[in-house]
Amino acid sequence: MEALIPVINKLQDVFNTVGADIIHLPQIAVVGTQSSGKSSVLESLVGRDILPRGTGIVTRRPLILQLVHIDSEDGRKTSEENESKKNGRLYRGIDGEEWGKFLHTKSKTYTDFDEIRQEIEAETERISGNNKGVSDEPIHLKIFSPHVVNLTLVDLPGLTKLPVGDQPKDIEVQIKELILKYISNPNSIILAVTAANTDMATSEALKVAREVDPDGRRTLAVVTKLDLMDAGTDAMDVLMGRVIPVKLGIIGVVNRSQLDINQKKLVSDATRDEYAFLQKRYPSLANRNGTKYLARTLNRLLMHHIRDCLPELKTRINVLAAQYQSLLNSYGEPVEDKSSTLLQLITKFAAEYCHTIEGTAKYIETTELCGGARICYIFHETFGRTLESVDPLGNLTTIDVLTAIRNATGPRPALFVPEVSFELLVKRQVKRLEEPSLRCVELVHEEMQRIIQHCSNYSTQELLRFPKLHDAIVEVVTSLLRKRLPVTNEMVHNLVAIELAYINTKHPDFADACGLMNNNIEEQRRNRMRDLPSAVPRDKSLKGPGGQSVSPTEPLALDGEATKAAGGSQSGNASEQTDGGTGNWRGMLKKGEDGQSGDRTMLQHQLPASPHRGHAVNLLDVPVPVSRRLSAREQRDCEVIERLIKSYFLIVRKNIQDSVPKAVMHFLVNHVKDCLQSELVGQLYKAGLLDDLLTESEDMAQRRNEAADMLKALQKASQVIAEIRETHLW
């Protein structure tokens, strides 16, 4: 059991060599307010004056103090590289039986303890400055002596409330956070120091200890300055645990006064005086108090605590060793065959790029869509919904339709709706599908660009070793994507141009829509005929000139007389009966007598006075109504055109929604997948570029060495713990 503490010291040395603080080793953290006697307690345990003294805050950096017990007959000691002797070590070559060593001074040995104190002061000011500030960077000191027990203690800055001098305003918070950092370690024992001449119930040390150790399983209380209590009072109730109970116990000690320190009173003399004081004032508790009893208690508690912590410590070391082994593997070995390494990296990157698109990559993104999944989302969600949101009749008013119909007829009044107006308007609407189609290409191009970074970060970490190679690969892939972008855009533009080049009114889906529309119009015509006055025979409504019957499916030939009477009911009836229900546009026309008669009446009101009556008329000055009520025929013609446009637009939109993703996949995605590796090899696999591309980053070699050192330290620590099992010390 006694050998467990040297083992922990050995582990501490192992991790100190690599400057690591990743393993929380068992230790004793000393906590207390300023001037509560913390430093005096530590010096009593060491038996020598080693700590700086003064008023206010003196301890401004954590001091990790390792006490190593050696045999008194060893004399003439030296460094720790010698062979073991029993549970300790054999030391030769140094005058004196006690000495100390700092981690930051490497192999330098101090036999003068005044020099140790001066070195602590100098090292504190070197990091913390001379303005009473604090630092969390510890000072490591190891004391070898036959008069100490094996312990590992941490002297922490004293708790304070208000800043003094040049101290920062948040000095209280800084010190408390520093203390919590050490006592939060579940493998540490908390030594809470409180002065006897203060109220135990107001102890800041016990308050802080309870924050991290509410059950008190690892807290030991020390009451200092028993000799400075007011006359007529004693600490009997406090030491017996009647005021504040502490599970691990409460131990009282008597410190040297400032006068004793100034007069260079030896610690050994102070220990004898302490024993005499306890025998006189607390005879029943003398054997359970004092510095010697405190040292034995701390040694016993630390040994048991180490024994309890070792299983978890061993597991932690093994886990860290595996992690650092993996980290070291990711850094890779130094490159020997550069040609082979370059080809392997290029091939691996190209394969991972393709796998990311196909969804078979080793590292699957879980936070967002990536690669092929995002391209699929762009095709069917983003692009599809955008096309569906395009209104077939958007930006097209009834006046626009009517204007197109009139412009398509020229100077002659139209008997039928001209086909040219339909083609003109439907091309205008189809053209609106080009912009979202090109935007689809742009989104896929951006995702192909993002895949490069994804492969660099997750799939091929080896590229991080060679930043120049990484940049070169990014440049080559970006250039390839840039070259394919105009080709893909041109193809998408052609897809829309193809639809605009020929308006196929014989498309099966479009013919079906026309037939359904004709049926509706024919039904409306029958309903109007059914509503004719009873005085007009319905068979006469289908009579042509001369009383001849006219088939509703045959066009009506107009002679000169009929043409002059185009506004009459006969010509109106004849025109609306032609080509009904045949699937031709002429069969979609509705009756327009009312509209024509309305136009005639409106024109009569608008015509100016006859020039024969003495008024000159300028036809260009005749006002044209900007907005007016459409006639029945105009409404009918506009409705027919709008229905046809909507029907044909939906057919084209369906074609575009299907053909654009196929074009993007063929001209951009699949082409890049097929040509990526050959492009990379052709651009980068050159003898003149090998040395430059495979130059490691500046810090990669350093990180590899640090990981290797840490792995070596963890493996050594694992061997130390294994030795404990073999010697049955566990």
Side-chain angles (χ1 to χ4, degrees):
M1 284 287 290
E2 183 68 24
L4 287 178
I5 296 179
V7 168
I8 294 299
N9 291 339
K10 186 176 180 181
L11 290 177
Q12 185 71 58
D13 295 338
V14 169
F15 292 116
N16 286 343
T17 58
V18 292
D21 193 23
I22 59 175
I23 295 291
H24 297 300
L25 297 174
Q27 57 192 8
I28 301 172
V30 184
V31 182
T33 57
Q34 288 185 16
S35 303
S36 61
K38 300 189 291 36
S39 299
S40 297
V41 171
L42 290 176
E43 287 183 338
S44 299
L45 295 174
V46 176
R48 301 294 292 266
D49 294 333
I50 61 171
L51 300 178
R53 291 286 182 169
T55 58
I57 181 171
V58 178
T59 304
R60 296 186 288 131
R61 288 179 61 185
L63 174 65
I64 299 179
L65 179 62
Q66 292 178 263
L67 303 182
V68 181
H69 175 78
I70 59 174
D71 295 336
S72 58
E73 64 270 11
D74 282 345
R76 305 284 178 187
K77 290 99 183 159
T78 186
S79 61
E80 301 170 28
E81 289 85 12
N82 291 308
E83 58 185 351
S84 300
K85 179 182 179 182
K86 298 182 181 179
N87 295 329
R89 292 179 181 269
L90 180 64
Y91 305 92
R92 289 186 291 270
I94 298 177
D95 294 332
E97 60 179 8
E98 297 178 297
W99 73 95
K101 295 183 65 176
F102 287 97
L103 177 65
H104 63 273
T105 58
K106 306 302 180 183
S107 58
K108 184 178 180 179
T109 303
Y110 296 83
T111 56
D112 186 350
F113 282 85
D114 288 335
E115 291 184 8
I116 292 178
R117 180 172 63 253
Q118 294 171 3
E119 181 61 29
I120 292 176
E121 293 176 350
E123 182 66 13
T124 299
E125 292 185 0
R126 186 179 68 85
I127 300 297
S128 303
N130 53 8
N131 63 344
K132 301 298 183 181
V134 297
S135 171
D136 61 351
E137 185 176 343
I139 300 174
H140 293 268
L141 172 62
K142 185 177 291 187
I143 299 296
F144 300 88
S145 173
H147 308 298
V148 299
V149 295
N150 291 312
L151 288 176
T152 300
L153 304 113
V154 182
D155 186 20
L156 296 169
L159 291 164
T160 185
K161 290 294 183 182
L162 298 174
V164 295
D166 296 333
Q167 287 182 342
K169 295 182 179 180
D170 62 340
I171 187 67
E172 177 186 3
V173 177
Q174 290 186 23
I175 293 177
K176 187 172 182 179
E177 290 178 352
L178 174 59
I179 292 174
L180 290 175
K181 175 182 176 181
Y182 281 87
I183 66 176
S184 297
N185 173 15
N187 295 335
S188 66
I189 295 176
I190 304 172
L191 189 65
V193 179
T194 304
N197 55 1
T198 61
D199 191 350
M200 191 73 168
T202 62
S203 173
E204 288 290 333
L206 289 175
K207 178 183 177 182
V208 173
R210 284 191 175 182
E211 291 182 12
V212 297
D213 183 32
D215 297 332
R217 297 180 180 273
R218 51 188 183 91
T219 301
L220 174 68
V222 174
V223 179
T224 61
K225 304 180 181 180
L226 291 176
D227 56 331
L228 298 182
M229 296 188 67
D230 294 338
T233 62
D234 59 35
M236 184 66 71
D237 290 340
V238 172
L239 297 176
M240 294 293 291
R242 296 169 184 166
V243 179
I244 302 293
V246 180
K247 283 188 177 181
L248 295 184
I250 302 175
I251 299 176
V253 296
V254 177
N255 301 333
R256 290 180 299 168
S257 64
Q258 189 61 43
L259 179 62
D260 295 335
I261 296 173
N262 295 338
Q263 294 178 353
K264 305 295 183 180
K265 183 177 182 179
L266 297 177
V267 176
S268 56
D269 295 338
T271 302
R272 286 194 298 269
D273 294 343
E274 175 192 51
Y275 180 75
F277 175 83
L278 292 174
Q279 288 290 349
K280 178 180 179 181
R281 297 292 302 272
Y282 304 97
S284 61
L285 302 178
N287 60 342
R288 287 185 285 131
N289 289 276
T291 301
K292 291 186 177 181
Y293 180 77
L294 174 61
R296 293 195 301 269
T297 301
L298 291 175
N299 179 264
R300 174 177 54 82
L301 290 175
L302 187 58
M303 284 192 299
H304 285 86
H305 196 62
I306 292 172
R307 183 190 60 187
D308 296 338
C309 294
L310 274 179
E312 181 181 353
L313 189 62
K314 179 178 182 295
T315 302
R316 172 67 174 164
I317 289 175
N318 291 337
V319 170
L320 287 174
Q323 292 177 353
Y324 273 91
Q325 182 65 60
S326 176
L327 181 63
L328 187 61
N329 293 338
S330 68
Y331 292 152
E333 297 294 333
V335 179
E336 297 179 357
D337 188 352
K338 293 186 176 181
S339 177
S340 175
T341 301
L342 178 60
L343 187 59
Q344 290 177 1
L345 291 175
I346 290 176
T347 303
K348 185 173 182 180
F349 178 87
E352 290 296 337
Y353 190 92
C354 297
H355 291 333
T356 303
I357 295 176
E358 296 167 358
T360 58
K362 182 178 179 181
Y363 298 93
I364 300 296
E365 184 67 54
T366 58
T367 57
E368 62 177 355
L369 292 179
C370 178
R374 192 174 185 87
I375 293 175
C376 179
Y377 182 86
I378 293 171
F379 285 157
H380 302 291
E381 298 293 333
T382 305
F383 178 59
R385 290 181 179 179
T386 301
L387 288 187
E388 292 174 0
S389 66
V390 177
D391 184 9
L393 301 176
N395 300 329
L396 190 64
T397 64
T398 305
I399 298 299
D400 295 338
V401 176
L402 184 60
T403 303
I405 294 174
R406 288 184 171 182
N407 288 336
T409 60
R412 296 176 298 279
L415 295 178
F416 313 106
V417 178
E419 297 183 7
V420 178
S421 61
F422 164 72
E423 290 195 9
L424 176 66
L425 294 173
V426 80
K427 287 182 179 180
R428 171 180 166 182
Q429 297 305 102
V430 170
K431 184 68 175 177
R432 297 168 59 210
L433 298 176
E434 183 175 9
E435 182 179 354
S437 300
L438 295 176
R439 177 58 180 164
C440 175
V441 178
E442 183 181 352
L443 291 176
V444 174
H445 177 267
E446 291 176 358
E447 179 58 27
M448 299 282 285
Q449 196 75 32
R450 289 178 67 248
I451 297 176
I452 304 175
Q453 192 64 33
H454 173 82
C455 294
S456 301
N457 292 340
Y458 299 98
S459 303
T460 53
Q461 292 187 0
E462 293 90 342
L463 287 179
L464 300 179
R465 294 178 56 192
F466 312 108
K468 292 185 178 180
L469 175 60
H470 174 266
D471 295 341
I473 289 178
V474 171
E475 179 61 29
V476 172
V477 181
T478 302
S479 177
L480 178 60
L481 291 172
R482 193 184 303 118
K483 287 189 295 184
R484 297 306 301 174
L485 184 60
V487 178
T488 309
N489 284 335
E490 182 66 20
M491 183 59 199
V492 171
H493 175 77
N494 288 337
L495 289 176
V496 179
I498 289 170
E499 296 291 345
L500 296 174
Y502 181 66
I503 304 301
N504 183 16
T505 56
K506 291 297 183 180
H507 192 284
D509 295 340
F510 187 67
D512 293 342
C514 291
L516 181 61
M517 195 181 307
N518 290 337
N519 294 335
N520 293 336
I521 295 174
E522 182 65 22
E523 183 178 356
Q524 294 176 5
R525 187 187 65 80
R526 293 194 187 98
N527 293 336
R528 287 196 299 271
M529 291 180 59
R530 198 178 297 116
D531 296 337
L532 287 177
S534 57
V536 180
R538 293 180 180 174
D539 56 347
K540 292 184 178 181
S541 63
L542 297 178
K543 296 293 184 179
Q548 297 178 355
S549 298
V550 179
S551 172
T553 61
E554 295 179 356
L556 177 63
L558 299 179
D559 55 11
E561 299 260 335
T563 304
K564 293 179 181 180
S569 62
Q570 186 175 8
S571 63
N573 291 340
S575 64
E576 71 177 330
Q577 303 303 326
T578 58
D579 293 340
T582 63
N584 195 309
W585 288 4
R586 299 178 178 85
M588 301 177 187
L589 302 180
K590 300 180 181 179
K591 297 177 68 177
E593 305 95 320
D594 297 338
Q596 293 175 355
S597 61
D599 291 342
R600 186 171 61 252
T601 304
M602 183 177 297
L603 289 174
Q604 291 176 355
H605 289 293
Q606 293 176 352
L607 287 177
S610 173
H612 297 289
R613 298 180 182 179
H615 298 281
V617 177
N618 185 353
L619 294 179
L620 297 179
D621 292 338
V622 176
V624 178
V626 178
S627 61
R628 60 183 177 83
R629 182 178 179 182
L630 299 180
S631 66
R633 177 170 179 171
E634 290 173 339
Q635 292 179 355
R636 175 196 61 197
D637 293 347
C638 291
E639 181 180 354
V640 169
I641 292 296
E642 289 176 355
R643 289 183 179 181
L644 292 174
I645 290 174
K646 183 174 182 181
S647 176
Y648 195 82
F649 180 87
L650 295 179
I651 295 172
V652 175
R653 186 174 71 182
K654 183 178 180 181
N655 295 340
I656 294 296
Q657 189 171 355
D658 178 65
S659 58
V660 167
K662 293 178 180 178
V664 174
M665 286 298 298
H666 176 72
F667 287 92
L668 181 62
V669 180
N670 290 342
H671 187 276
V672 171
K673 284 172 53 181
D674 297 339
C675 301
L676 179 60
Q677 182 168 353
S678 60
E679 189 77 12
L680 288 172
V681 173
Q683 295 287 337
L684 303 180
Y685 192 64
K686 299 177 181 178
L689 299 177
L690 287 178
D691 294 336
D692 185 51
L693 293 178
L694 294 182
T695 301
E696 286 189 327
S697 59
E698 297 179 357
D699 60 337
M700 181 57 67
Q702 179 182 353
R703 285 187 288 175
R704 185 191 298 111
N705 294 334
E706 291 176 353
D709 293 341
M710 180 58 68
L711 180 61
K712 188 181 300 182
L714 290 168
Q715 292 173 345
K716 188 174 181 180
S718 182
Q719 294 175 358
V720 171
I721 295 180
E723 293 174 1
I724 300 176
R725 282 185 174 274
E726 294 176 1
T727 55
H728 306 288
L729 295 175
W730 200 311

